[in-house]
């Protein structure tokens, strides 16, 4: 019998939620099976007192969500070489089940093609899963498991081999859509992604628009996604579809101005290395229910 997979959890924090962070770490420590290693990154902020054995890094500046998580990955050795699977967990989240780690190990051990698992996020008070937290177009039933084409960045598990093969999260994105960039690269390399409703992270229901940079970075990063990952024929189509959808949603004047500024920025600024996916990956995304034009 092979040894159980080694898990490492990466948590980034701005230092403003020490009580919630401690609750999360306590829930990780209660997981059944072998101990889950933990790495906590202070993303431009000092860290509070942490339990013994936690790997830590205090970054001198805020590198954004993907940059902070990449720093956490490296706390487990180059490209997380010390562990088999990396969990990314929001610092104000909580694992309510004590069997989550064992379920993650079992899922990866049973499916060698499985590269990423997206957890279900549920409000701790109501149990409700917001529609935006189900990473597929048909999101009405959050309890239905399925293959998907992206994942939730603060509630997921990524096989370390995926990171070694396709690279880490795109740090230049700073915030928004960095998960889809990694997901597309993983799918292009032959990996699969699962949404698992039985793997739950409790997290208060929120609006992504609470972040001041939300509208600008969402627009910019959608353009960057296309420029970095899609065949040239589809590069204008993906941002074009989202441009139309944004107008149909009739955002407020300030939101629309921020969105348009980000859209222009996406075309005018460097987006990092371009690695267009194969056309067979485009077809695979389509068969999975989300062609890379929406």
């Amino acid at each position: 019998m092979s040894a159980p997979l080694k898990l490492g959890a990466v948590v980034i924090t701005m230092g403003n939620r020490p009580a919630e962070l401690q609750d999360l770490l306590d829930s990780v420590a209660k997981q059944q099976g072998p101990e889950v290693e933990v790495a906590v990154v202070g993303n431009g902020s000092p860290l509070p007192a942490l339990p013994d054995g936690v790997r830590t890094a205090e970054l001198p500046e805020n590198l954004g969500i993907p940059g902070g998580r990449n720093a956490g990955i490296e706390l487990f050795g180059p490209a997380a070489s010390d562990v088999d699977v990396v969990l990314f967990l929001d610092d104000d989240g909580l694992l309510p089940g004590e069997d989550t780690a064992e379920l993650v190990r079992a899922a990866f051990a049973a499916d060698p093609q499985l590269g990423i698992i997206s957890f279900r996020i549920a409000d701790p008070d109501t149990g409700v899963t917001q529609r935006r937290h189900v990473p597929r177009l048909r999101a009405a039933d959050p309890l239905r498991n399925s293959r998907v084409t992206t994942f939730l960045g603060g509630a997921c598990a990524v096989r370390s081999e995926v990171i070694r093969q396709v690279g880490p999260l795109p740090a230049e994105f700073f915030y928004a859509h960095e998960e889809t960039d990694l997901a597309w690269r993983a799918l292009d390399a032959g990996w699969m992604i699962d949404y698992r409703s039985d793997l739950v992270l409790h997290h208060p229901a929120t609006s992504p628009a609470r972040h001041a940079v939300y509208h600008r970075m969402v627009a910019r990063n959608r353009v960057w996604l296309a420029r970095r990952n899609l065949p040239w024929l589809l590069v204008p189509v993906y941002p074009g579809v989202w441009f139309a959808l944004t107008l149909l949603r009739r955002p407020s004047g300030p939101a629309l101005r921020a969105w348009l500024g980000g859209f222009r920025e996406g075309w005018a600024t460097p987006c990092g290395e371009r690695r267009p996916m194969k056309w067979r990956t485009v077809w695979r995304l389509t068969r999975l229910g989300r062609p890379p034009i929406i």
Side-chain angles (χ1 to χ4, degrees), residues 205 219 286:
T286 302

Side-chain angles (χ1 to χ4, degrees), residues 199-223:
L199 301 176
V200 179
L201 182 85
H202 275 174
H203 187 283
T206 57
S207 166
R210 70 191 185 279
H211 299 292
V213 297
Y214 171 77
H215 297 287
R216 179 176 69 87
M217 290 195 174
V218 161
R220 182 197 67 183
N221 292 355
R222 284 209 187 277
V223 177

Side-chain angles (χ1 to χ4, degrees), residues 172-174 213 215-224 227 257-271:
E172 54 267 72
F173 278 41
F174 195 84
V213 297
H215 297 287
R216 179 176 69 87
M217 290 195 174
V218 161
R220 182 197 67 183
N221 292 355
R222 284 209 187 277
V223 177
W224 279 2
R227 291 175 57 200
R257 285 192 292 273
W259 198 95
L260 291 173
F263 191 79
R264 288 191 295 268
E265 185 182 349
W267 292 109
T269 56
C271 61

Side-chain angles (χ1 to χ4, degrees), residues 124-209:
D125 297 323
T126 66
V128 171
T129 296
Q130 293 177 278
R131 188 180 183 91
R132 69 186 181 90
H133 284 151
V134 182
R136 58 179 179 244
L137 292 179
R138 296 190 178 100
D141 181 7
L143 298 181
R144 179 172 66 86
N145 298 337
S146 67
R147 295 284 201 197
V148 289
T149 62
T150 189
F151 62 98
L152 307 175
C156 65
V158 181
R159 201 187 287 266
S160 302
E161 190 178 344
V162 172
I163 298 168
R164 290 191 286 273
Q165 184 174 355
V166 307
L169 294 157
E172 54 267 72
F173 278 41
F174 195 84
Y175 166 78
H177 303 316
E178 67 274 3
E179 305 95 340
T180 300
D181 188 88
L182 178 60
W184 283 2
R185 286 183 279 129
L187 289 163
D188 195 49
W191 297 99
M192 300 301 294
I193 305 169
D194 278 357
Y195 168 74
R196 287 278 300 265
S197 64
D198 56 330
L199 301 176
V200 179
L201 182 85
H202 275 174
H203 187 283
T206 57
S207 166

